[in-house]
């Protein structure tokens, strides 16, 4: 059994936001790096999180030189590479999760070069075939997106672009025009990593983006605690938690599950 | 003797930063506005005679430009072929060509009102040049350097500290130049609003490969005129070592339209291509393929999965998994040719130049000299080779003593 869902990736992602909105909250998308701490454990982590009714997943594919990532994800990807994790094994993980009945959208996150080595057409085809719903490529700005845009559109996959606090009106308009699925909103200037506080001017920042687009906005970088989740809840259509979960998972799957559960609880109405 | 630094005269890169199919801008979105801002500021600066004059004045009164060309009489005699001329970038202030670009970019940082400068360094020459330019202009300089490189280039670490720079050891990855660039980019993405990234080679996202080339092009502009003035004609061959490729592109650029002049870049062959321990991006088709690393599309040493390979060279400045995109373009269009020299050949060339010419070359530059030693004997006696002696070798004495098992 493989992917039993009948919708395209884009539809599945849209349905994810619709459901969260109907429940009066943001969508919660945890990041799980395949192959960390080992292949089986990363699959277990996705299943444990799915059981908490998270809304979707960012599935991390390792790269030797992750220049948008801070120390936590750097270390995790290094370990994943030492464990022999490749694009193929990441897609195999997605296929295995779908065959176990996982329903949530999954977006493949990775850097460009391994995808180029795989072949962009073949990669997009195999991502779709494995049952994933979109691509997140931090070193692919919209100017270079022609490498993937056509094949993603053909396969119904979302190709996610980023906006950052440094993005000016021109950039916001460009990304809004080309966006599919959602826009990944970087919370701060910086690399990924758990942080103590979210930036104070969050509302102004999001309003600035909202003025130009009604594409769903998903925030990442630094969202680490239930309190952060409460701050971004409803302000954004969704949020990604990565480094904080990886840090927690160093102590085992239970602390990771507990953190995720407390974040999930925090965005429930009245949570 | 140089009236203006060229800008906008070359047909590459295009407006998106492409040299043919190489180059471009593959960076996180956070950096895109900063690169746009840099592109505009650079264009305005180069069109401003006051900026040009500041840089030309510093080149003359501070760097000591023009650097001379030296006829290597004894080396020529020993090899028995082409007449060999050395472009003496080792005589530039700080001992290498890196100062040409560092001064240009530091002036640009100052003009843009960016007080904080970050830089990466491999051999330490770019770090020293950045620290020097920052001291001169009163900028706050932070240099990322792999801990492996810090160990093998200790004198340069000390120099940077004396010059007031903070040297930040990089412990990630292979702890060499590539990892230092990753960390410098991470710093830049974090502090982008007040920070200028002073990139040291003809690498990285657009506009850096163009900016570095333009600021280094003074090497070839001077050398070309010096050949005409002193020797009466252009050389038959220009040779330079290629790590990221800034000294080579700086030499080659002025000769690009002189079709009779062969341009030859020399990569680091390390322990030999078959050993897998090298930094010869063009010479090893099993590992060196087009790809994207650190913001630019070029030849990259990578495994079948697209993961970046570890590299090896006895010279830290050539020990890098990718190469400047314009070199990939010059190779593809067959305007330039690329070969390699092994560690052993470079060390041999190092000693030869010391003994025959009284010049201690950098180990990087020794790779170019190694190609001269191979090629000169095959050429007629009335032919001329011009080699870029990109830096001096004082920084490498520890490495050479260790490699040759010498004691004082």
């Amino acid at each position: 059994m493989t992917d039993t869902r009948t919708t395209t990736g884009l539809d599945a992602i849209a349905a994810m936001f619709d459901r969260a909105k109907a429940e009066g909250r943001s969508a919660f998308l945890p990041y799980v790096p395949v192959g960390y701490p080992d292949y089986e454990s990363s699959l277990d982590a996705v299943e444990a999180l799915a059981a908490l009714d998270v809304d979707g997943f960012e599935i991390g594919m390792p790269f030797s030189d992750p220049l948008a990532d801070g120390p936590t994800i750097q270390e995790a990807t290094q370990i994943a590479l030492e464990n022999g994790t490749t694009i193929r094994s990441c897609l195999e993980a997605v296929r295995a999760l779908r065959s176990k009945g996982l329903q949530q959208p999954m977006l493949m996150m990775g850097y460009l070069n391994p995808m180029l080595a795989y072949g962009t057409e073949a990669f997009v085809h195999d991502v779709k075939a494995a049952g994933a719903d979109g691509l997140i490529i931090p070193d692919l700005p919209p100017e270079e997106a022609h490498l993937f845009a056509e094949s993603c559109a053909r396969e119904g996959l979302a190709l996610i672009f980023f906006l950052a606090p440094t993005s000016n009106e021109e950039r916001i308009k460009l990304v809004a025009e080309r966006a599919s699925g959602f826009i990944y909103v970087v919370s701060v200037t910086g690399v990924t990593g758990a942080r103590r506080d979210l930036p104070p001017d969050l509302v102004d920042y999001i309003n600035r983006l909202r003025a130009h687009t009604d594409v769903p906005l998903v925030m990442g970088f630094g969202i680490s605690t239930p309190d952060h989740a409460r701050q971004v809840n409803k302000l954004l259509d969704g949020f990604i938690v990565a480094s904080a979960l990886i840090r927690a998972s160093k102590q085992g799957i239970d602390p990771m599950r507990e953190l995720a559960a407390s974040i999930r609880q925090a965005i429930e109405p009245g949570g | 003797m140089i009236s203006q630094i060229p800008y906008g005269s070359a047909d590459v890169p295009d407006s998106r930063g492409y040299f043919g199919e190489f180059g471009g801008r593959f960076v996180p979105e956070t950096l895109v506005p900063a690169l746009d801002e840099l592109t505009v500021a650079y264009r305005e600066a180069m069109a401003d005679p006051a900026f040009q004059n500041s840089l030309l004045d510093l080149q003359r009164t501070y760097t000591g430009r023009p650097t001379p060309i030296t006829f290597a009489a004894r080396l020529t005699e020993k090899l028995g072929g082409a007449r060999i001329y050395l472009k003496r970038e080792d005589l530039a202030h700080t001992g290498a060509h890196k100062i040409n670009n560092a001064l240009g970019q530091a002036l640009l940082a100052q003009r843009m009102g960016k007080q904080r400068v970050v830089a990466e360094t491999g051999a330490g020459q770019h770090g020293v040049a950045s620290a020097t330019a920052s001291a001169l202009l009163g900028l706050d300089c932070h240099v990322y350097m792999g801990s492996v490189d810090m160990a093998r280039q200790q004198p340069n670490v000390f120099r940077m500290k004396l010059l007031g720079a903070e040297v930040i050891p990089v412990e990630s990855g292979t702890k060499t130049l590539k990892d230092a660039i990753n960390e410098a980019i991470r710093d830049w993405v974090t502090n982008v609003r007040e920070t200028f990234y002073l990139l040291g080679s003809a690498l990285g996202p657009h506009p850096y490969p163009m900016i570095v080339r333009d600021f280094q092009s003074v090497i070839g502009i001077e050398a070309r005129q010096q050949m005409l003035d002193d020797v009466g004609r252009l050389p038959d061959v220009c040779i330079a070592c290629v790590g990221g490729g800034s000294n080579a592109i700086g030499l080659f650029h002025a000769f690009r339209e002189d079709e009779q002049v062969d341009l030859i870049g020399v990569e680091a062959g390390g322990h030999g291509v078959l050993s897998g321990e090298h930094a010869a991006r063009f010479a090893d088709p099993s590992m060196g393929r087009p790809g994207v690393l650190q913001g630019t599309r070029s030849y990259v040493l990578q495994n079948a999965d697209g993961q970046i390979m570890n590299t090896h060279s006895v010279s830290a400045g050539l020990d890098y998994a990718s190469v400047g995109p314009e070199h990939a373009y010059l190779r593809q269009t067959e305007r330039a040719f690329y070969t390699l020299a092994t560690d052993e050949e470079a060390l041999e060339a190092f000693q030869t130049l010391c003994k025959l010419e009284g010049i201690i070359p950098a180990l990087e530059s020794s790779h170019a000299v190694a190609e001269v030693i191979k090629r000169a004997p095959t050429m007629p006696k009335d032919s001329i080779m011009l080699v870029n002696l990109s830096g001096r070798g004082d920084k490498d004495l520890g490495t050479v003593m260790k490699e040759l098992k010498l004691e004082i």
Side-chain angles (χ1 to χ4, degrees), chain B residues 150-356:
Chain B
M150 285 178 76
R152 59 180 166 174
Q153 303 286 344
Q154 276 187 349
N156 275 342
V157 176
F158 190 53
R159 273 187 198 109
M160 286 183 266
K161 289 182 177 171
L162 281 174
L163 292 160
E166 182 195 10
V167 182
I168 306 147
V170 176
E171 301 290 350
S172 59
T174 53
K175 306 176 175 68
T176 59
L177 177 58
K178 169 174 76 78
D179 312 288
I181 295 176
N182 284 338
E183 283 308 317
I185 292 175
R186 288 179 186 126
D187 180 312
W188 193 34
V189 87
T190 305
N191 303 295
V192 58
R193 290 190 178 98
E194 67 277 9
T195 299
F196 187 98
Y197 180 19
L198 210 169
L199 183 55
S201 196
L203 295 168
H206 178 65
Y208 281 106
M210 172 179 76
I211 290 180
V212 176
R213 176 196 70 194
D214 291 353
F215 285 146
Q216 291 295 0
S217 67
V218 65
I219 301 170
I221 293 169
E222 284 179 5
R224 189 176 183 282
Q225 193 60 49
Q226 287 164 328
M227 293 304 295
L228 292 173
D229 292 347
D230 297 1
V231 187
R233 72 173 181 90
L234 295 179
D236 299 290
V237 179
C238 290
I239 296 184
C241 65
V242 181
S246 71
N247 90 80
I249 209 71
L251 178 66
F252 292 173
H253 196 56
F255 293 94
R256 69 192 184 281
E257 285 167 5
D258 301 316
E259 284 173 21
Q260 73 277 25
V261 180
D262 289 343
L263 307 175
I264 296 170
V266 187
E267 296 186 285
H271 295 139
V273 168
L274 294 178
S275 72
E277 295 175 353
H278 59 78
R281 292 71 39 114
F282 292 136
D284 185 350
S286 71
M287 296 184 348
R289 298 189 308 278
V292 169
L293 179 64
Q294 295 173 333
T296 193
R297 184 169 190 276
S298 184
Y299 272 72
V300 180
L301 288 172
Q302 54 187 310
N303 70 13
D305 294 325
Q307 305 297 344
I308 309 308
M309 299 292 285
N310 294 345
T311 54
H312 165 80
S313 171
V314 69
S315 80
L318 304 183
D319 197 355
Y320 182 63
S322 186
V323 58
E326 191 164 4
H327 286 292
Y329 172 72
L330 290 175
R331 177 173 178 267
Q332 188 179 51
T333 55
E334 299 186 355
R335 179 62 195 93
F337 297 89
Y338 295 83
T339 181
L340 59 84
T342 63
D343 286 358
E344 200 178 336
E345 290 166 338
L347 285 161
E348 188 67 38
F350 175 95
Q351 296 173 85
T352 301
L353 203 70
C354 288
K355 285 179 183 145
L356 290 183

Side-chain angles (χ1 to χ4, degrees), chain A residues 65 105 206:
Chain A
D65 294 82
I206 299 308

Side-chain angles (χ1 to χ4, degrees), chain B residues 12 51 96 130 144 177 191 260 357:
Chain B
V12 283
F51 179 84
S130 300
Y144 288 89
L177 177 58
N191 303 295
Q260 73 277 25
E357 298 296 338

Side-chain angles (χ1 to χ4, degrees), chain B residues 70-86:
Chain B
T70 301
F71 174 53
R74 294 190 68 213
L75 184 63
T76 296
E77 190 188 344
K78 178 176 169 16
L79 297 175
R83 294 168 64 81
I84 299 156
Y85 288 82
L86 310 173

